[in-house]
Amino acid sequence: MVWFKEEIPRCSFITWTVFLKRLPTRDRLISWGISLPPGCVLCSNADESHSHLFFECSFAAVVWNHFCGRFLASIPSSVAAVVAHCDQLRGTHASRAVAVLKLLNQVIIYHLWRERNARIFRDVSMTQEAFFRVVDRAMRDRLLSLPAVAAPSPSLLELYLWIVSPYS
């Protein structure tokens, strides 16, 4: 789930640390004795933790729904839940989409972490629409950099565009 051919290394590293619950989220920093407000800077509705920041936060939920609505019946609750969903898709007609979903998972997690840090350290925030454009651009750039596949099967970029397109 973390290390695969289509990955973006910086996104893989952040996803790996999320999987291990090692990012310095506010709940971890507080447990180390650092005094800071515990609230999530993305939604201000709950205390920041790995599970909240990447999966339970209302900001994150809108992002997951925007990009994965066609393949996910509900927002994943963890990286492990995304792994389980990708495992279910293997061997089906959607098995080529697994690489796209794994990459999308990593890009969303990476950019949520960047947005969180921008809000804390630079006092700058993006709108949801701007955030969607950043994630979409990262996905398109990576998928365009991959070698083309045989003509009868869709490219990974075409699969991505199908996944994120409105339901037809």
Side-chain angles (χ1 to χ4, degrees):
M1 186 65 192
V2 174
W3 314 109
F4 55 98
K5 183 175 69 172
E6 298 84 7
E7 69 169 306
I8 301 170
R10 66 180 176 269
C11 297
S12 294
F13 178 76
I14 295 299
T15 302
W16 181 48
T17 54
V18 169
F19 195 77
L20 298 174
K21 296 187 178 180
R22 295 288 190 216
L23 285 178
T25 53
R26 289 183 172 205
D27 65 329
R28 290 195 75 219
L29 294 172
I30 290 168
S31 75
W32 297 342
I34 298 172
S35 178
L36 68 148
C40 174
V41 295
L42 298 180
C43 71
S44 303
N45 294 332
D47 291 350
E48 182 184 280
S49 66
H50 282 87
S51 60
H52 174 78
L53 183 63
F54 299 108
F55 302 101
E56 297 165 5
C57 174
S58 58
F59 187 93
V62 170
V63 174
W64 284 106
N65 279 329
H66 179 80
F67 286 101
C68 300
R70 188 181 290 270
F71 270 97
L72 299 174
S74 62
I75 299 162
S77 58
S78 66
V79 176
V82 177
V83 171
H85 186 71
C86 287
D87 286 344
Q88 289 175 346
L89 290 175
R90 290 183 203 278
T92 69
H93 67 284
S95 61
R96 288 208 64 232
V98 170
V100 175
L101 288 175
K102 290 192 305 188
L103 180 62
L104 188 55
N105 172 59
Q106 291 189 353
V107 169
I108 289 171
I109 287 173
Y110 174 77
H111 285 287
L112 285 169
W113 184 245
R114 284 189 50 118
E115 178 64 12
R116 175 245 189 221
N117 289 337
R119 290 182 184 201
I120 292 172
F121 300 114
R122 293 185 292 138
D123 199 28
V124 175
S125 63
M126 277 190 258
T127 64
Q128 290 267 232
E129 286 302 317
F131 189 87
F132 296 158
R133 285 192 300 275
V134 167
V135 170
D136 184 63
R137 181 79 268 152
M139 287 296 295
R140 289 172 187 254
D141 288 348
R142 179 60 184 132
L143 295 172
L144 281 170
S145 74
L146 298 172
V149 295
S153 60
S155 70
L156 292 177
L157 178 60
E158 290 169 324
L159 286 171
Y160 164 70
L161 294 174
W162 180 78
I163 289 169
V164 299
S165 68
Y167 298 101
S168 12

Coordinates of all heavy atoms in Angstrom, one line a residue, residues 82-137:
V82 N -8.3 1.6 3.7 CA -8.1 1.8 2.3 C -7.4 0.5 1.8 O -7.7 0.0 0.7 CB -7.2 3.0 2.1 CG1 -6.9 3.2 0.6 CG2 -7.9 4.3 2.6
V83 N -6.4 -0.1 2.5 CA -5.7 -1.3 2.1 C -6.8 -2.4 1.9 O -6.8 -3.1 0.9 CB -4.7 -1.7 3.2 CG1 -4.2 -3.1 2.9 CG2 -3.6 -0.7 3.3
A84 N -7.7 -2.6 2.8 CA -8.7 -3.6 2.7 C -9.6 -3.4 1.5 O -9.9 -4.3 0.8 CB -9.6 -3.6 4.0
H85 N -9.9 -2.1 1.2 CA -10.8 -1.9 0.0 C -10.0 -2.2 -1.2 O -10.6 -2.8 -2.2 CB -11.2 -0.4 0.0 CG -12.1 -0.1 -1.1 ND1 -13.4 -0.5 -1.1 CD2 -12.0 0.6 -2.2 CE1 -14.0 -0.1 -2.2 NE2 -13.2 0.6 -2.9
C86 N -8.7 -1.8 -1.3 CA -7.9 -2.2 -2.5 C -7.8 -3.7 -2.6 O -7.8 -4.2 -3.8 CB -6.5 -1.5 -2.4 SG -6.6 0.3 -2.7
D87 N -7.6 -4.4 -1.5 CA -7.6 -5.9 -1.6 C -8.8 -6.5 -2.2 O -8.8 -7.4 -2.9 CB -7.3 -6.5 -0.2 CG -5.8 -6.2 0.2 OD1 -5.0 -5.9 -0.6 OD2 -5.6 -6.4 1.4
Q88 N -10.0 -5.9 -1.8 CA -11.3 -6.3 -2.4 C -11.3 -6.1 -3.9 O -12.0 -6.9 -4.6 CB -12.4 -5.6 -1.7 CG -12.7 -6.0 -0.3 CD -13.8 -5.2 0.3 OE1 -14.2 -4.2 -0.2 NE2 -14.2 -5.6 1.5
L89 N -10.7 -5.1 -4.4 CA -10.8 -4.8 -5.8 C -9.8 -5.7 -6.7 O -10.1 -5.8 -7.9 CB -10.4 -3.3 -6.1 CG -11.5 -2.3 -5.6 CD1 -10.9 -0.9 -5.8 CD2 -12.8 -2.5 -6.3
R90 N -8.8 -6.2 -6.1 CA -7.9 -7.1 -6.8 C -8.6 -8.2 -7.4 O -9.5 -8.9 -6.8 CB -6.8 -7.6 -5.9 CG -5.8 -6.5 -5.5 CD -4.7 -7.1 -4.7 NE -4.1 -6.0 -3.8 CZ -3.2 -5.2 -4.3 NH1 -2.8 -5.2 -5.5 NH2 -2.7 -4.3 -3.4
G91 N -8.3 -8.5 -8.7 CA -8.9 -9.6 -9.3 C -10.3 -9.3 -9.9 O -10.9 -10.2 -10.5
T92 N -10.8 -8.1 -9.8 CA -12.1 -7.7 -10.3 C -11.8 -6.9 -11.6 O -10.7 -6.7 -12.0 CB -12.9 -6.9 -9.4 OG1 -12.3 -5.6 -9.2 CG2 -13.1 -7.6 -8.0
H93 N -12.9 -6.5 -12.2 CA -12.7 -5.7 -13.4 C -12.1 -4.3 -13.1 O -11.6 -3.6 -14.0 CB -14.1 -5.4 -14.1 CG -15.1 -4.6 -13.3 ND1 -15.7 -5.1 -12.2 CD2 -15.4 -3.3 -13.4 CE1 -16.5 -4.2 -11.6 NE2 -16.3 -3.1 -12.3
A94 N -12.1 -3.9 -11.9 CA -11.5 -2.7 -11.4 C -10.1 -2.8 -10.9 O -9.6 -1.9 -10.2 CB -12.4 -2.0 -10.4
S95 N -9.5 -3.9 -11.1 CA -8.2 -4.2 -10.5 C -7.1 -3.2 -10.9 O -6.2 -2.8 -10.2 CB -7.7 -5.6 -10.7 OG -7.5 -5.8 -12.1
R96 N -7.2 -2.6 -12.1 CA -6.2 -1.6 -12.6 C -6.4 -0.3 -11.8 O -5.5 0.5 -11.7 CB -6.3 -1.4 -14.1 CG -5.8 -2.5 -14.9 CD -5.3 -2.2 -16.3 NE -4.1 -1.3 -16.2 CZ -4.1 -0.2 -16.9 NH1 -5.0 0.2 -17.6 NH2 -3.0 0.5 -16.8
A97 N -7.6 -0.1 -11.3 CA -7.8 1.1 -10.6 C -7.2 1.1 -9.2 O -7.1 2.1 -8.5 CB -9.3 1.3 -10.4
V98 N -6.7 -0.1 -8.7 CA -6.1 -0.2 -7.4 C -4.9 0.7 -7.4 O -4.7 1.4 -6.4 CB -5.7 -1.6 -7.1 CG1 -4.8 -1.7 -5.9 CG2 -6.9 -2.5 -6.9
A99 N -4.0 0.8 -8.4 CA -2.9 1.6 -8.4 C -3.3 3.1 -8.3 O -2.7 3.9 -7.6 CB -2.0 1.4 -9.7
V100 N -4.3 3.5 -9.0 CA -4.8 4.8 -8.9 C -5.4 5.1 -7.5 O -5.1 6.2 -6.9 CB -5.9 5.1 -10.0 CG1 -6.6 6.5 -9.8 CG2 -5.4 4.9 -11.4
L101 N -6.1 4.2 -6.9 CA -6.6 4.5 -5.6 C -5.5 4.5 -4.5 O -5.6 5.4 -3.6 CB -7.6 3.4 -5.2 CG -9.0 3.4 -5.9 CD1 -9.8 2.2 -5.6 CD2 -9.7 4.7 -5.6
K102 N -4.5 3.7 -4.7 CA -3.3 3.8 -3.7 C -2.6 5.1 -3.9 O -2.3 5.7 -2.9 CB -2.4 2.6 -4.0 CG -2.9 1.3 -3.6 CD -1.9 0.1 -3.5 CE -1.2 -0.1 -4.8 NZ -0.3 -1.3 -4.7
L103 N -2.4 5.5 -5.1 CA -1.8 6.8 -5.3 C -2.6 8.0 -4.8 O -2.2 8.9 -4.1 CB -1.5 7.0 -6.8 CG -0.8 8.3 -7.2 CD1 0.6 8.4 -6.5 CD2 -0.6 8.4 -8.7
L104 N -3.9 7.9 -5.1 CA -4.8 8.9 -4.6 C -4.8 9.0 -3.1 O -4.8 10.1 -2.5 CB -6.2 8.7 -5.1 CG -7.3 9.7 -4.9 CD1 -6.9 11.1 -5.5 CD2 -8.6 9.3 -5.6
N105 N -4.8 7.9 -2.4 CA -4.8 7.8 -1.0 C -3.5 8.5 -0.5 O -3.6 9.4 0.4 CB -4.7 6.3 -0.5 CG -4.5 6.1 0.9 OD1 -5.2 6.6 1.8 ND2 -3.4 5.4 1.2
Q106 N -2.4 8.3 -1.1 CA -1.2 8.9 -0.7 C -1.2 10.4 -0.9 O -0.7 11.2 -0.1 CB 0.0 8.3 -1.3 CG 0.3 6.9 -0.9 CD 1.6 6.3 -1.4 OE1 2.3 6.9 -2.2 NE2 2.0 5.1 -0.9
V107 N -1.7 10.8 -2.1 CA -1.7 12.2 -2.4 C -2.6 13.0 -1.5 O -2.3 14.1 -1.0 CB -2.1 12.4 -3.9 CG1 -2.3 13.9 -4.2 CG2 -0.9 11.9 -4.8
I108 N -3.8 12.4 -1.2 CA -4.7 13.1 -0.3 C -4.1 13.2 1.1 O -4.1 14.3 1.7 CB -6.0 12.3 -0.2 CG1 -6.8 12.5 -1.5 CG2 -6.9 12.8 1.0 CD1 -8.1 11.6 -1.6
I109 N -3.5 12.2 1.6 CA -2.9 12.2 3.0 C -1.7 13.2 3.0 O -1.6 14.1 3.9 CB -2.4 10.8 3.4 CG1 -3.6 9.9 3.8 CG2 -1.4 10.9 4.5 CD1 -3.3 8.5 4.0
Y110 N -0.9 13.2 2.0 CA 0.2 14.1 1.9 C -0.2 15.6 1.9 O 0.3 16.4 2.7 CB 1.1 13.8 0.7 CG 2.2 14.8 0.4 CD1 3.4 14.8 1.1 CD2 2.1 15.8 -0.5 CE1 4.4 15.7 0.9 CE2 3.1 16.8 -0.8 CZ 4.2 16.7 0.0 OH 5.2 17.6 -0.2
H111 N -1.2 15.9 1.1 CA -1.7 17.3 1.0 C -2.5 17.7 2.2 O -2.5 18.9 2.5 CB -2.4 17.5 -0.3 CG -1.4 17.6 -1.5 ND1 -0.6 18.7 -1.7 CD2 -1.1 16.7 -2.4 CE1 0.2 18.4 -2.7 NE2 -0.1 17.2 -3.2
L112 N -3.2 16.8 2.9 CA -3.8 17.1 4.1 C -2.8 17.5 5.2 O -3.0 18.5 5.9 CB -4.7 16.0 4.7 CG -6.0 15.8 3.9 CD1 -6.7 14.4 4.4 CD2 -7.0 16.9 4.2
W113 N -1.7 16.8 5.2 CA -0.6 17.1 6.1 C 0.0 18.5 5.8 O 0.3 19.3 6.7 CB 0.4 16.0 6.1 CG 1.5 16.2 7.1 CD1 2.9 16.4 6.9 CD2 1.4 16.2 8.6 NE1 3.6 16.5 8.0 CE2 2.7 16.4 9.1 CE3 0.3 16.0 9.4 CZ2 2.9 16.5 10.5 CZ3 0.6 16.1 10.8 CH2 1.9 16.3 11.3
R114 N 0.2 18.7 4.5 CA 0.8 20.0 4.1 C -0.2 21.2 4.4 O 0.3 22.2 4.9 CB 1.1 20.0 2.6 CG 2.3 19.3 2.3 CD 2.7 19.5 0.8 NE 2.7 20.9 0.5 CZ 3.8 21.6 0.1 NH1 4.9 20.9 0.0 NH2 3.7 22.8 -0.2
E115 N -1.5 21.0 4.2 CA -2.4 22.0 4.5 C -2.5 22.3 6.0 O -2.5 23.4 6.5 CB -3.8 21.6 4.0 CG -4.9 22.6 4.3 CD -4.8 24.0 3.7 OE1 -3.9 24.1 2.8 OE2 -5.5 24.9 4.1
R116 N -2.5 21.2 6.8 CA -2.4 21.4 8.3 C -1.2 22.2 8.7 O -1.3 23.1 9.5 CB -2.4 20.0 8.9 CG -2.2 20.0 10.4 CD -0.9 19.3 10.8 NE -0.8 19.1 12.2 CZ 0.3 19.3 12.9 NH1 1.4 19.8 12.3 NH2 0.4 19.1 14.2
N117 N 0.0 21.9 8.1 CA 1.2 22.6 8.5 C 1.2 24.0 8.0 O 1.7 24.9 8.7 CB 2.4 21.8 8.0 CG 2.7 20.6 8.7 OD1 2.2 20.4 9.9 ND2 3.3 19.6 8.1
A118 N 0.6 24.3 6.8 CA 0.5 25.6 6.3 C -0.3 26.5 7.2 O 0.0 27.7 7.5 CB 0.0 25.6 4.9
R119 N -1.4 25.9 7.7 CA -2.3 26.7 8.6 C -1.6 27.0 10.0 O -1.8 28.0 10.5 CB -3.6 25.9 8.8 CG -4.5 25.9 7.6 CD -5.8 25.2 7.8 NE -6.5 25.2 6.5 CZ -7.8 25.0 6.5 NH1 -8.5 24.8 7.6 NH2 -8.4 24.9 5.3
I120 N -0.8 26.0 10.5 CA -0.2 26.2 11.7 C 1.1 27.1 11.6 O 1.2 28.1 12.4 CB 0.3 24.9 12.3 CG1 -1.0 24.0 12.7 CG2 1.2 25.1 13.6 CD1 -0.7 22.6 13.2
F121 N 1.9 26.9 10.7 CA 3.2 27.5 10.6 C 3.3 28.8 9.8 O 4.2 29.6 10.0 CB 4.3 26.5 10.2 CG 4.4 25.4 11.1 CD1 4.1 24.1 10.7 CD2 4.8 25.5 12.5 CE1 4.2 23.0 11.6 CE2 4.9 24.5 13.3 CZ 4.6 23.2 12.9
R122 N 2.4 28.9 8.8 CA 2.4 30.1 7.9 C 1.1 30.9 8.0 O 1.0 31.9 7.3 CB 2.7 29.6 6.5 CG 4.1 29.1 6.3 CD 4.4 28.8 4.9 NE 3.6 27.7 4.4 CZ 3.0 27.6 3.2 NH1 3.1 28.6 2.3 NH2 2.3 26.6 2.9
D123 N 0.2 30.4 8.7 CA -1.1 31.1 8.9 C -1.8 31.3 7.5 O -2.3 32.4 7.2 CB -1.0 32.4 9.7 CG -2.3 32.9 10.2 OD1 -3.2 32.0 10.5 OD2 -2.4 34.1 10.4
V124 N -1.7 30.3 6.6 CA -2.2 30.4 5.3 C -3.1 29.2 5.1 O -2.8 28.1 5.6 CB -1.1 30.3 4.2 CG1 -1.6 30.2 2.8 CG2 -0.1 31.5 4.4
S125 N -4.3 29.4 4.5 CA -5.2 28.2 4.3 C -5.7 28.3 2.9 O -5.9 29.3 2.3 CB -6.3 28.2 5.3 OG -7.1 29.3 5.2
M126 N -6.0 27.1 2.4 CA -6.7 27.0 1.0 C -8.2 26.7 1.2 O -8.6 26.1 2.2 CB -6.1 25.7 0.3 CG -4.8 26.0 -0.4 SD -4.5 24.5 -1.5 CE -3.3 23.7 -0.5
T127 N -8.9 27.1 0.2 CA -10.3 26.7 0.2 C -10.4 25.3 -0.2 O -9.4 24.7 -0.7 CB -11.1 27.6 -0.8 OG1 -10.6 27.3 -2.1 CG2 -11.0 29.1 -0.5
Q128 N -11.6 24.7 0.0 CA -11.8 23.3 -0.5 C -11.5 23.2 -1.9 O -10.8 22.2 -2.4 CB -13.2 22.8 -0.1 CG -13.4 22.6 1.3 CD -13.1 21.2 1.8 OE1 -14.0 20.6 2.5 NE2 -12.0 20.7 1.6
E129 N -12.0 24.1 -2.7 CA -11.8 24.0 -4.2 C -10.3 24.1 -4.6 O -9.9 23.4 -5.5 CB -12.6 25.1 -4.9 CG -14.1 24.9 -4.9 CD -14.4 23.5 -5.6 OE1 -13.9 23.2 -6.7 OE2 -15.3 22.8 -5.1
A130 N -9.6 25.0 -3.9 CA -8.2 25.1 -4.2 C -7.4 23.8 -3.8 O -6.5 23.4 -4.5 CB -7.6 26.3 -3.4
F131 N -7.9 23.3 -2.7 CA -7.3 22.0 -2.3 C -7.6 20.9 -3.3 O -6.7 20.1 -3.6 CB -7.8 21.6 -0.9 CG -7.1 20.4 -0.3 CD1 -6.0 20.6 0.5 CD2 -7.6 19.1 -0.5 CE1 -5.3 19.5 1.1 CE2 -6.9 18.0 0.1 CZ -5.8 18.2 0.9
F132 N -8.8 20.8 -3.8 CA -9.1 19.9 -4.8 C -8.2 20.0 -6.0 O -7.7 19.0 -6.6 CB -10.6 20.0 -5.3 CG -11.6 19.7 -4.2 CD1 -12.9 20.2 -4.4 CD2 -11.4 19.0 -3.1 CE1 -13.9 20.0 -3.5 CE2 -12.3 18.7 -2.2 CZ -13.6 19.2 -2.3
R133 N -8.0 21.3 -6.4 CA -7.1 21.5 -7.6 C -5.7 21.0 -7.4 O -5.0 20.5 -8.3 CB -7.1 23.0 -8.0 CG -8.4 23.4 -8.7 CD -8.3 24.8 -9.3 NE -8.0 25.8 -8.4 CZ -8.9 26.5 -7.6 NH1 -10.2 26.2 -7.7 NH2 -8.5 27.4 -6.8
V134 N -5.2 21.3 -6.2 CA -3.8 20.8 -5.8 C -3.7 19.3 -5.9 O -2.7 18.8 -6.5 CB -3.4 21.4 -4.4 CG1 -2.1 20.7 -3.9 CG2 -3.2 22.9 -4.5
V135 N -4.6 18.6 -5.3 CA -4.6 17.1 -5.3 C -4.8 16.6 -6.8 O -4.0 15.8 -7.2 CB -5.7 16.6 -4.4 CG1 -5.9 15.1 -4.6 CG2 -5.4 16.9 -3.0
D136 N -5.7 17.2 -7.5 CA -5.9 16.8 -8.9 C -4.7 17.1 -9.7 O -4.3 16.2 -10.5 CB -7.1 17.6 -9.5 CG -7.4 17.2 -10.9 OD1 -7.8 16.0 -11.1 OD2 -7.3 18.0 -11.8
R137 N -4.0 18.2 -9.6 CA -2.8 18.5 -10.3 C -1.7 17.5 -10.0 O -1.0 17.0 -10.9 CB -2.3 19.9 -10.0 CG -1.1 20.3 -10.8 CD -1.4 20.8 -12.2 NE -1.2 19.6 -13.1 CZ -1.9 19.5 -14.3 NH1 -2.8 20.4 -14.6 NH2 -1.7 18.5 -15.0

